[in-house]
Amino acid sequence: MQHASPGTRPLAGRRAAVTGSTSGIGLAIAEGLARAGADVALNGFGDTAPALSAVGAHGTKVVFVGADLSKGPDSQKWVADVTQALGGLDILVNNAGIQHVAAVEEFPDDKWDAILAINLSSNFHTMKAAIPAMKAQNWGRIINIASAHGLVASPFKSAYVAAKHGVLGLSKAAALELAETLVTVNTVCPGFVDTPLVRGQIADQAKVRGMSEERVINEVILASQPTHRFITSEQVAEMVLFLSSDAASGITGASFSIDGGWTAR
Ligand code: NAD
C-alpha cells in the first residue's frame, strides 16, 4: 500500500469511494478527498458529468460507478466494482440518503422502507463488503454521514431519525469489532446544510405545517441551530478529511457533531 510522504498531498495514494456524491455533501466530500490527493469513486443519481468534472479537476483518478444502493446485493457489488476500478479501497464514505416528512400515522410504508434501505441498510451492506480487504491490508477508514438526527429527534421525521440513530449504533459495533486493526469507523453528524435534500424538506415542512417556505427556514430549520446559520458542505468535508488522515488513527467508534450548537442544548 502507498503512504503519503512529506511534500505530497496528505491523502496521496489513498483510494476513496463516496456514496451519493453527485450532489450536496457527498460531492463536497469527494472534491475534498481528491484535493487532498486521493483517487475517488463517485456514485449517485442524476447527471454525473458536473461531479466528474469538479472532482476530476484536482488531477487524481476519478471514476463514476453507478448503483442503486438501496438494494443490498447492488451495494455489495458496488464495493467490488469500485475496488476493481481504483485498484483497492482505503476510505469508504457512506453518504447517500433521502428524507420524507410526515406524521407517523400518515407515514407511507414504502417511504419508511426506502429511507431505512438507503440511509441505514446500505451502510451495512457496503461495510460488510469493504471490511475484509481493509482488514487484510490493515488500514481503512469508514466514515458514515449520519445527522444531528442520529442523536436527537424532530417531529415528522420518524424514519430518518430511526435510520440515523441506527447508523450510529452500526458504526460503534463495527468500530469495536475492528478496534485492534488500523481500520477505524466513525460518524459525522451535521446539522442543517443547504443542499437539494434540505430544499425538498423545506417545501414538505411548509405543506405539513401550513407555513411559507421562508417561515420554515427561519422558524423551523434554523431555529434548531443556535448559530442560526446553515452548516456548509465544505465544513462536513473537512471533518471527513481529518478522519481519513493518519493523525486520526486513535479515533474510532466516535461521532462528530457539526451542528451549530443544536445538540448542545
Ligand atoms: P442530496 O440530496 O444533495 O444528495 C444525496 C445523494 O444521495 C445524491 O447524490 C443522490 O443521488 C444520492 N442517492 C440517493 N438515493 C440513492 C440510492 N438509492 N443509491 C445511490 N445514491 C443515492 O443530499 P445531502 O443533503 O447532500 O445529503 C447527504 C447525506 O447527508 C445524507 O445521508 C443526509 O441524510 C445527510 N445529512 C444531510 C443534512 C442536510 O442538512 N443537508 C444534514 C445532516 C445529514
Side-chain angles (χ1 to χ4, degrees), residues 11 23 31 35 40 51-52 59-60 102 107 129 139 156 165 167 173 183 186-187 200 206 214 232:
L11 298 181
S23 170
E31 272 202 75
R35 195 181 307 114
V40 181
L52 275 168
T60 61
F107 213 92
W139 201 96
F156 310 122
H165 275 66
V167 170
V183 181
N186 292 292
T187 53
E214 201 185 332
T232 67

Side-chain angles (χ1 to χ4, degrees), residues 17 20 66 75 118 150 165 189 193 205-206 218:
S75 290
I118 186 63
H165 275 66
C189 297
V193 188
Q205 290 265 15
N218 292 317

